[in-house]
Amino acid sequence: MKTKVLVTGGAGFIGSHTCCILLEAGYEVVVIDNFSNSSPNVVEKIKEITGKDVVLYEGNVCDKSLLKTIFEKEKIDVVIHFAAFKAVGESVRLPLKYYRNNLDSTITLLEVMEEENCKRLVFSSSATVYGSPKTLPIKEDFPLSTTNPYGTTKLMIEQILKDLKIADDDWSIAILRYFNPIGAHPSGLIGENPNDIPNNLMPYIVKVANKELEILSIFGDDYNTKDGTGVRDYIHVVDLAKGHEKAIEKVLKEKKLDCYNLGTGEGYSVLELVETFQKVNEVDVPYKIVQRRAGDIASCYADPSYALKELGFKAEKGIEEMCRDAYNFVKKSKN
């Protein structure tokens, strides 16, 4: 019997790449997605890449009766929980939307998992739970705090999962704290394609390069960094997806709760990313410097050594490949 994985938000940017990696590794994949920030044709693209089918349920993870149906019908072994709103800026403007959706969906999912005695979970968290770190690189045992409601929902969910593990030791949970996923599948068939104006840097760069948007706004050039722009740990989305496969192996093998940084350990500034993108793709990305954005921090990059030791995970793709694959996806989509 193949292991069956439920992927919530499986048509999203990271979810779709993870579905491909899981299918290629021999897992059966069931997806639930309401397509609020993705599209049903992504599921067709996953099939095109892998030559394998996923079972798709369209709907919201807050819908308990739908989740019950999925668990009873599909006999799920393990869950990867991606489904969440994820725009930092929007979360500052609309905190209730974020608290309602991100917490509600998770609690509903956990209740159904408990009722169905499926207690293996990989949770999609974020490096935002480290707030503004005192030192770098960031290790998993650093103090946790947040600077925006999106990050706070991730931190609250981490606490819920820790309390759940204390109450019932039968749970096995991997909390993955992502740094900054960019890039796209090398086939160019799936990538990051937000439904509205992008909130993340790379899709914005891509839309400017593609002349869909006029100019890139860089938020602040007065941070205490090498060139004054924010520094982040960018990780190729395919590498990140492989981290989820490693995490599934872990939760199927050991009954424990643990947290893992998924990053490269390298920090690149916004300007370095823009310059690399222009160079490898031979395109122009006009930009202007604007005011800092609420909730942003100066620098953030991982110490990835614990994920290597515990999961056997190491990011392999470099920044040039990330820039090339991100643009390749958009050029392919256009054609």
Side-chain angles (χ1 to χ4, degrees):
M1 281 286 283
K2 283 187 177 178
T3 302
K4 198 174 269 195
V5 186
L6 174 65
V7 183
T8 75
F13 175 44
I14 306 168
S16 59
H17 288 81
T18 302
C19 287
C20 290
I21 294 291
L22 294 176
L23 289 164
E24 283 161 356
Y27 291 94
E28 285 188 30
V29 175
V30 179
V31 167
I32 175 172
D33 205 302
N34 65 355
F35 305 118
S36 67
N37 198 27
S38 59
S39 145
N41 75 3
V42 171
V43 179
E44 294 308 312
K45 299 280 195 274
I46 293 169
K47 291 177 191 173
E48 202 177 321
I49 290 166
T50 62
K52 295 177 179 180
D53 272 332
V54 300
V55 178
L56 173 66
Y57 289 85
E58 185 174 346
N60 197 313
V61 183
C62 298
D63 181 345
K64 192 167 185 177
S65 64
L66 175 60
L67 284 183
K68 289 285 281 187
T69 301
I70 294 170
F71 274 84
E72 282 162 12
K73 196 172 167 193
E74 303 295 341
K75 306 288 182 268
I76 303 296
D77 298 301
V78 57
V79 177
I80 304 182
H81 182 35
F82 290 110
F85 294 145
K86 62 172 189 175
V88 169
E90 185 187 49
S91 79
V92 176
R93 281 199 327 276
L94 302 170
L96 294 181
K97 175 181 174 179
Y98 275 67
Y99 287 117
R100 165 64 73 198
N101 180 72
N102 293 5
L103 296 177
D104 220 2
S105 60
T106 306
I107 292 167
T108 305
L109 175 67
L110 293 170
E111 284 174 347
V112 174
M113 288 177 72
E114 197 163 52
E115 287 161 17
E116 298 296 325
N117 200 31
C118 171
K119 297 179 182 177
R120 306 282 169 272
L121 175 71
V122 176
F123 174 60
S124 162
S125 189
S126 162
T128 51
V129 301
Y130 295 113
S132 194
K134 300 279 177 284
T135 60
L136 293 165
I138 295 168
K139 291 179 182 290
E140 284 83 355
D141 60 1
F142 272 28
L144 304 177
S145 67
T146 58
T147 58
N148 56 70
Y150 161 72
T152 307
T153 65
K154 292 295 186 186
L155 188 53
M156 286 175 160
I157 292 165
E158 286 199 13
Q159 188 57 54
I160 290 167
L161 295 174
K162 288 168 186 172
D163 291 339
L164 192 59
K165 176 67 177 169
I166 290 165
D168 179 358
D169 195 43
D170 215 24
W171 281 88
S172 181
I173 300 169
I175 293 170
L176 304 183
R177 294 174 181 156
Y178 314 154
F179 282 70
N180 290 64
I182 59 173
H185 196 273
S187 66
L189 290 170
I190 55 173
E192 191 166 14
N193 192 15
N195 285 348
D196 46 19
I197 295 263
N199 291 288
N200 294 343
L201 178 60
M202 183 56 92
Y204 215 106
I205 290 174
V206 162
K207 283 188 186 290
V208 173
N210 212 20
K211 303 201 168 19
E212 291 172 59
L213 294 170
E214 201 177 323
I215 194 162
L216 170 70
S217 296
I218 294 178
F219 298 104
D221 64 349
D222 56 351
Y223 287 105
N224 183 18
T225 60
K226 46 193 143 185
D227 58 24
T229 62
V231 168
R232 296 292 180 271
D233 184 337
Y234 296 101
I235 178 171
H236 197 297
V237 65
V238 172
D239 277 336
L240 189 67
K242 289 175 180 170
H244 292 77
E245 186 203 341
K246 298 282 191 191
I248 281 189
E249 289 170 16
K250 189 76 168 176
V251 298
L252 289 173
K253 205 165 59 201
E254 289 178 43
K255 278 189 190 171
K256 70 178 204 175
L257 178 146
D258 215 342
C259 305
Y260 310 94
N261 286 339
L262 296 189
T264 64
E266 280 281 331
Y268 289 92
S269 74
V270 174
L271 282 177
E272 283 178 313
L273 188 69
V274 172
E275 280 156 16
T276 305
F277 186 93
Q278 293 185 121
K279 188 182 83 193
V280 301
N281 295 309
E282 297 175 348
V283 286
D284 195 31
V285 180
Y287 63 83
K288 61 179 180 184
I289 306 294
V290 297
Q291 269 185 313
R292 290 185 184 191
R293 191 169 54 174
D296 275 348
I297 60 173
S299 288
C300 175
Y301 55 92
D303 177 340
S305 59
Y306 190 67
L308 177 61
K309 176 174 161 274
E310 288 292 310
L311 301 178
F313 170 76
K314 188 178 193 303
E316 286 162 1
K317 294 173 183 284
I319 196 86
E320 293 196 348
E321 205 170 342
M322 300 178 207
C323 290
R324 195 175 293 116
D325 287 344
Y327 196 45
N328 178 46
F329 163 67
V330 167
K331 286 190 297 188
K332 276 233 162 137
S333 309
K334 215 176 177 181
N335 298 336

